[in-house]
Amino acid sequence: MNIESLLIHGGVDGDERTGAVNIPIFQTSTYKQPGFGINKGYEYSRTSNPTREALEKLISDLEGGYAGYAFASGMAAITAVISLFNSGDKILISDNLYGGTFRVLDKVFKNFNIFYEIINTTNLDAIRENIDETVKAILIETPTNPLMDITDIEGVAKISKERSILTIVDNTFMTPYLQRPLDFGADIVVHSATKYLGGHSDLVAGLVIVNNEELSEKLHFIQNSTGGVLGPFDSFLLIRGIKTLAVRMDRHNSNTKKIAEFLRTREEVNKVYYPGFEDHVGYEIQKKQARGFGGVISFILKDNVDYKKFVESLKLITFGESLGGVESLVCHPASMTHGSIPYEIRQKVGIVENLIRLSVGIENSEDVIEDLENAFREVRKND
Ligand SMILES: *Cc1c(COP(=O)(O)O)cnc(C)c1O
């Protein structure tokens, strides 16, 4: 089945008992056991719940995985994945990735002697050079948040296999509609489903997909033991959001291309980070491993442009955290999504003060461009 159809019919397609076309919300914590050792496959909803299970089967089908697991947030999902490792292990991470992922490694797991090393994962030689016997995994985002660096998933997975370590890909920015990391040899995919998969800025959720039985058993054990599970109602909402992913992503893709090109023509803008530009260093790799460039653009305003005034002058585009919703959202990474990364590291990787991240929604692109034009006009009033 093609992915557009799988988004709608994958996982558990409707309710067998009643014929309802949507999976019901099984809002229950426990299940009646007719006798000792007898149950219908469910005992307690932390361990399994039919609505959550339908979502987990769906995301596993979409990513081409062995099994999927749903968590209360992207960070709960990432925390579960890092819980696979032991004291003394080290994880290599991309040099600009979601601030919360850096924070949980730096402020939580480091205290348990699970270490990380920041490297430029776009450079496969840098990865090779940094693998010693303590390194047990490489965690990449591609494109990265917020600078849209592209890492060659197949290249990383090849190195990981040679060294018998795991490749973990945060696929939040692409979704399985645009990119399926397991097809390129990754072992684990994580999502902040809060973003494109949910798509409507109305829920917080995380997903993990694994490519084999051994990882699946470990992940389910961690999910059940640590308990950061997604509730039945949010599982239902996420299934509902996923059904329209294909049409939303197509519009995100086309709108974003237009807006990236518009931003590039503006004299107030110093640099635009968008992997859909043919002169982006990762363009060819992106074309090889994904079927679109996604809905996020970051750009640096010129030093003489008041970035606060620019952001506050936007009317249609909402100023706020998050991305991937139907509405356009703008954020200031240095003080918001990436504020937990120390100043020196931010400067080093390029998350500078006048960097703006734009998550392009599915509105009419002309309206979004007009809003940006108005904001540029406002900041020029100062001149
Ligand atoms: C938002 C985000 C996360 C964290 O997910 P939450 O659902 O906010 O916990 C992780 N990775 C990426 C790339 C994100 O954008």
Side-chain angles (χ1 to χ4, degrees), residues 22-42:
N22 290 301
I23 185 85
I25 303 169
F26 285 91
Q27 196 70 41
T28 188
S29 61
T30 191
Y31 306 81
K32 182 176 175 178
Q33 304 189 11
F36 284 93
I38 309 167
N39 62 60
K40 296 187 170 173
Y42 305 96

Side-chain angles (χ1 to χ4, degrees), residues 57-303:
K57 287 208 169 97
L58 173 61
I59 193 62
S60 179
D61 285 353
L62 295 174
E63 288 284 5
Y66 179 86
Y69 298 96
F71 293 87
S73 69
M75 285 322 303
I78 289 167
T79 295
V81 169
I82 301 171
S83 303
L84 288 167
F85 300 99
N86 296 311
S87 167
D89 290 351
K90 195 202 274 178
I91 303 170
L92 302 183
I93 60 173
S94 300
D95 70 2
N96 69 94
L97 42 62
Y98 180 68
T101 306
F102 171 81
R103 181 174 57 194
V104 78
L105 284 163
D106 188 56
K107 293 283 192 294
V108 179
F109 283 102
K110 210 167 73 183
N111 300 333
F112 296 91
N113 291 331
I114 292 174
F115 302 106
Y116 67 88
E117 177 117 13
I118 300 171
I119 52 172
N120 177 355
T121 54
T122 67
N123 178 351
L124 297 180
D125 290 331
I127 295 179
R128 259 187 222 101
E129 281 160 23
N130 281 283
I131 300 180
D132 59 27
E133 64 285 358
T134 66
V135 172
K136 295 289 153 50
I138 306 172
L139 165 57
I140 60 171
E141 277 178 22
T142 179
T144 51
N145 182 356
L147 296 177
M148 311 305 286
D149 289 334
I150 306 302
T151 289
D152 180 353
I153 301 171
E154 198 172 16
V156 173
K158 231 174 116 201
I159 297 171
S160 293
K161 287 215 163 62
E162 280 165 24
R163 306 294 187 99
S164 304
I165 64 176
L166 295 176
T167 302
I168 305 164
V169 180
D170 184 332
N171 203 27
T172 300
F173 273 36
M174 288 284 101
T175 80
Y177 178 66
L178 297 182
Q179 172 172 284
R180 299 210 319 174
L182 301 182
D183 292 349
F184 294 98
D187 303 286
I188 301 177
V189 170
V190 295
H191 281 283
S192 169
T194 313
K195 317 293 169 53
Y196 291 103
L197 290 172
H200 296 75
S201 305
D202 57 4
L203 74 103
V204 173
L207 297 166
V208 178
I209 306 90
V210 297
N211 73 346
N212 66 57
E213 186 179 359
E214 188 193 342
L215 281 174
S216 153
E217 279 171 7
K218 284 184 182 167
L219 237 300
H220 187 236
F221 182 82
I222 290 168
Q223 183 192 40
N224 187 41
S225 303
T226 59
V229 294
L230 191 66
F233 184 66
D234 283 349
S235 297
F236 166 85
L237 275 181
L238 188 45
I239 293 169
R240 176 184 156 109
I242 287 173
K243 286 182 200 288
T244 56
L245 184 70
V247 285
R248 285 188 286 108
M249 290 314 288
D250 284 346
R251 178 66 84 89
H252 283 298
N253 274 330
S254 59
N255 274 2
T256 306
K257 188 164 193 297
K258 287 181 202 152
I259 289 157
E261 276 158 9
F262 161 77
L263 286 170
R264 223 181 197 189
T265 65
R266 294 300 305 204
E267 60 181 73
E268 299 88 346
V269 175
N270 224 346
K271 185 171 166 100
V272 182
Y273 296 92
Y274 175 60
F277 288 144
E278 284 182 28
D279 56 3
H280 185 286
V281 288
Y283 179 76
E284 290 302 329
I285 295 171
Q286 180 69 10
K287 274 217 325 203
K288 181 190 85 173
Q289 66 192 19
R291 66 161 176 178
F293 303 100
V296 180
I297 311 168
S298 290
F299 55 99
I300 297 180
L301 291 170
K302 291 221 168 110
D303 286 341

Side-chain angles (χ1 to χ4, degrees), residues 355-373:
L355 179 77
I356 304 293
R357 189 187 74 191
L358 178 62
S359 165
V360 178
I362 64 170
E363 301 97 339
N364 185 308
S365 60
E366 296 301 316
D367 294 330
V368 181
I369 288 174
E370 193 183 308
D371 197 35
L372 290 164
E373 273 173 344

